[in-house]
Amino acid sequence: MYASLAAVLFQVGEAASAGGQEAAESGAHFEPFLPGLIVLLPLLGFVLNGVLALRHATRSAEAVRAGGELDLDEGGRPLTHTLPSLIGPGVLLLAFVITSVNFARMLGAHLEEPVVVTYWTWMATGTFSVDAALQLDQLSMVMMMIVTGVGFLIHVFSVGYMKDDPGYPRYFAYLNLFIFFMLVLVMGANYPLMFVGWEGVGLCSYLLIGFWFSDREKSDAGKKAFIVNRIGDLGFLVAMFYLFTTFGTLDFVPIFAGAEGAFAYGGALVTTITLFFFLGAAGKSAQMPLYVWLPDAMAGPTPVSALIHAATMVTAGVYLVARSSVLFALAPVASATVAGVGVLTALFAATIALKQNDIKKVLAYSTVSQLGYMFVGVGVGAYSAGIFHLMTHAFFKALLFLGAGAVIHSMHVAYHSTHSHEDGQDMRNMGGLRKHMPITCATMWIATLAIAGIWPFAGFFSKDEIIWQTAAFGGAANAPYPALYTVFWLIALAAAMLTAFYMTRMMVMTFHGENRTGDQEEKALHEAPAVMWAPLAVLAVLAVVGGWVNVSEHLRDSILGLGPLTSGWLHEWLHPITEQAQHIQDLNLGVLAESAPIVGGGEVVWAVLSGAAAIAVVLVSFRYVGGQKIVPAAEDVEPIGFAKVLYNKWYVDELYDRIIVQPILALSRFCWKVIDVGIIDGIVNGVGFAARGVGFVVSMFQTGTLNTYAFILTVGVLIILGVSIF
């Protein structure tokens, strides 16, 4: 079946490529290999799994009408559960393979200009025209590799994690559709096509977060994500309107080529456009004040959390800023806003993570914090550093979420064995799991050391580069607000130390110390099956080696001593994308600082100091948390003082409810009861009542008696004559 399916799809892809326009002359030596097929494969998976989901729903309904329920294990697992296990990951694997082929071709092509493949004219009215076109360049290729590669591993993990869920085929249908829209977002050659993917991942996030929609809390979480993201999407739309009025097109290539001629450096128009773009990015990538949807997104299945938080949706905002780097380089106020919001988000979310007990909530706020670092990177013009951290974060954060999923799966099995109803996600109920889940423990420790910024793991290189670039930017000859960027640098350092603490706390509470599940439950604890821990092992390797693709020149030569064995490969790879923005920055800001503010020291010195500080925090945190007596959730008491504030997440949700949600609900009730029911319905009902009254009065004269009609006629004539005379 798969052979024939692949043959059909390849024919479709070849036909699409044949129908596409020729690539730009500068990129003619790079021949894209079936780019349309990369997008089509997940869409096909959605269609096939969607059909299976409908079939499964029909069979379940028939079983319920017959007075029972569908037995998934009767006569072996049905096709509605077997086929999605093959189709869901299978289409992603094929997409990853084709993407890898294109990546290998681009590696040897020395591509200087993007290759745009146009298939058809999507919209055309007046002077407005939008093509259905895909753009392949170094930035989109990095994103495609992450989306398809990490997405495939998450799909494989889902086979084991979701195998007993009655909505199994529906789950994989949604997951495939999510990947389709994410690929449209990163491969689209214009802003409208990017917006289609942008809205598509928003829709899929609603479907996946609220996957268990029969639970009101989970359904509400999906709606919250959908509504909050719509706020940011408005900014994206407004920015596109401004761009079209300026350039008459929304294609990336002509806009970026003409940006320096159309906009003055620091001008009001380009600042307005980029601020609106950042509003959209803040919504999608969960930055203050629009971050509140992301922690609640934990209501969905854990692999969904890994997909949303690591490799896809939340990175879209960072990708938007990096893709629009030329525009942001021309808008220093907007760039400063991006960096400022990013660093405040990083610190704010880190403080909340300190006192969370739900393992997924800790990771959720960790994601918000790390996204803040990415925005700091792109906000100070270090676009390759921001994308670098996006890439390494995809590795170790996907690993952390999938590892948390393995832990939760084991905890639920343990509690189910004794019919206990304790919370399997609360770290206070865990402890000592390393004895029962050694692979999960080891791989999650690798991810923890990576996110904490410990050498030689991936997070050390990417996070260090962002922090250093922040300091260097603030020390530029003509840097705007130099003191402000020094503050940004200090806040970024503080957030990094907090990250090391709360992640170590999570690992100690989960895997070390005494087990707190209970004696009977502990017997049921077990390592995840191979289909679940195999993706963890792959991601663990990436979390170790992923940072070595972009070792900075100073670190390479001064501290590592590896010479040509390592280099800033990713920086050089993305150079054609960031070159123009970098030129604008160098022209207007001058040379960046070569030493950190306050106490001096170059990048190497601060890499050593920050790495040593992170190690110290991890060791101290391990001893501190390990020395505390941790009691199960049912026996614990609510924290007091400032700890209570952090535990309740600074009461931001309560504040939003008081100043936004409740006033809107009150206004809605007023519009409903007073305007709709009282005024509008009152008028409509009044007209109806009057019509009925007039009809009743007139009907009194419809007696069928000739004398009555003659009398009425006479009276009418007399009235007319009277009016005429007088």
Side-chain angles (χ1 to χ4, degrees), residues 33 56 65 105 150 394 420 689:
F33 176 67
H56 178 74
R65 285 194 294 269
R105 288 188 174 188
V150 178
S420 176
F689 180 79

Side-chain angles (χ1 to χ4, degrees), residues 87-158:
I87 296 172
V91 294
L92 260 293
L93 179 60
L94 287 174
F96 176 70
V97 170
I98 299 173
T99 301
S100 300
V101 172
N102 281 283
F103 179 68
R105 288 188 174 188
M106 191 175 290
L107 274 175
H110 305 292
L111 193 66
E112 294 296 330
E113 297 289 339
V115 173
V116 178
V117 181
T118 304
Y119 297 102
W120 66 84
T121 299
W122 175 27
M123 292 184 289
T125 175
T127 60
F128 180 69
S129 179
V130 179
D131 292 330
L134 303 180
Q135 178 166 314
L136 277 76
D137 56 24
Q138 292 84 351
L139 178 58
S140 64
M141 192 59 63
V142 170
M143 298 299 298
M144 290 158 60
M145 291 289 290
I146 294 172
V147 171
T148 56
V150 178
F152 166 68
L153 295 174
I154 294 171
H155 276 66
V156 173
F157 183 91
S158 297

Side-chain angles (χ1 to χ4, degrees), residues 88-427:
V91 294
L92 260 293
L93 179 60
L94 287 174
F96 176 70
V97 170
I98 299 173
T99 301
S100 300
V101 172
N102 281 283
F103 179 68
R105 288 188 174 188
M106 191 175 290
L107 274 175
H110 305 292
L111 193 66
E112 294 296 330
E113 297 289 339
V115 173
V116 178
V117 181
T118 304
Y119 297 102
W120 66 84
T121 299
W122 175 27
M123 292 184 289
T125 175
T127 60
F128 180 69
S129 179
V130 179
D131 292 330
L134 303 180
Q135 178 166 314
L136 277 76
D137 56 24
Q138 292 84 351
L139 178 58
S140 64
M141 192 59 63
V142 170
M143 298 299 298
M144 290 158 60
M145 291 289 290
I146 294 172
V147 171
T148 56
V150 178
F152 166 68
L153 295 174
I154 294 171
H155 276 66
V156 173
F157 183 91
S158 297
V159 171
Y161 189 87
M162 298 292 292
K163 65 182 179 68
D164 295 322
D165 195 281
Y168 191 76
R170 176 169 60 90
Y171 170 82
F172 274 103
Y174 292 165
L175 221 58
N176 287 157
L177 186 63
F178 193 107
I179 296 294
F180 163 73
F181 280 120
M182 191 65 197
L183 288 172
V184 171
L185 192 157
V186 300
M187 295 178 67
N190 49 66
Y191 283 110
L193 202 57
M194 179 192 284
F195 188 72
V196 170
W198 191 274
E199 291 297 292
V201 295
L203 168 65
C204 293
S205 70
Y206 164 74
L207 297 173
L208 287 167
I209 295 169
F211 181 76
W212 294 309
F213 55 83
S214 58
D215 186 324
R216 176 65 181 272
E217 180 182 353
K218 294 176 172 55
S219 176
D220 287 346
K223 289 186 288 186
K224 184 176 183 179
F226 190 81
I227 292 170
V228 173
N229 272 274
R230 299 293 74 72
I231 300 172
D233 296 348
L234 175 63
F236 195 129
L237 280 171
V238 174
M240 283 198 295
F241 295 154
Y242 274 116
L243 281 177
F244 182 75
T245 58
T246 303
F247 295 97
T249 181
L250 290 174
D251 293 339
F252 295 146
V253 173
I255 288 177
F256 301 151
E260 291 186 77
F263 301 122
Y265 180 78
L269 180 58
V270 70
T271 301
T272 302
I273 292 171
T274 48
L275 285 176
F276 274 117
F277 267 142
F278 179 57
L279 175 61
K284 198 66 71 183
S285 295
Q287 297 297 284
M288 295 178 65
L290 302 179
Y291 74 92
V292 291
W293 70 269
L294 191 59
D296 287 7
M298 298 300 99
T302 303
V304 171
S305 303
L307 189 64
I308 292 176
H309 286 234
T312 54
M313 181 173 168
V314 296
T315 63
V318 182
Y319 171 77
L320 171 61
V321 177
R323 173 61 72 191
S324 308
S325 59
V326 176
L327 303 179
F328 280 88
L330 289 167
V333 172
S335 294
T337 303
V338 172
V341 171
V343 76
L344 290 176
T345 302
L347 180 64
F348 185 79
T351 62
I352 296 175
L354 295 173
K355 298 302 294 184
Q356 300 306 303
N357 295 315
D358 186 308
I359 189 171
K360 290 179 68 175
K361 285 292 180 69
V362 174
L363 296 178
Y365 283 104
S366 168
T367 298
V368 176
S369 183
Q370 296 305 306
L371 287 167
Y373 275 106
M374 299 175 204
F375 277 106
V376 173
V378 295
V380 299
Y383 301 103
S384 59
I387 297 299
F388 184 27
H389 197 56
L390 183 154
M391 181 188 72
T392 61
H393 179 264
F395 301 151
F396 55 70
K397 184 52 60 71
L399 173 53
L400 286 167
F401 267 111
L402 295 184
V407 169
I408 294 168
H409 180 268
S410 183
M411 291 288 294
H412 284 168
V413 170
Y415 283 132
H416 182 74
S417 67
T418 60
H419 305 286
S420 176
H421 299 287
E422 297 294 331
D423 188 354
Q425 295 184 191
D426 197 312
M427 298 183 298

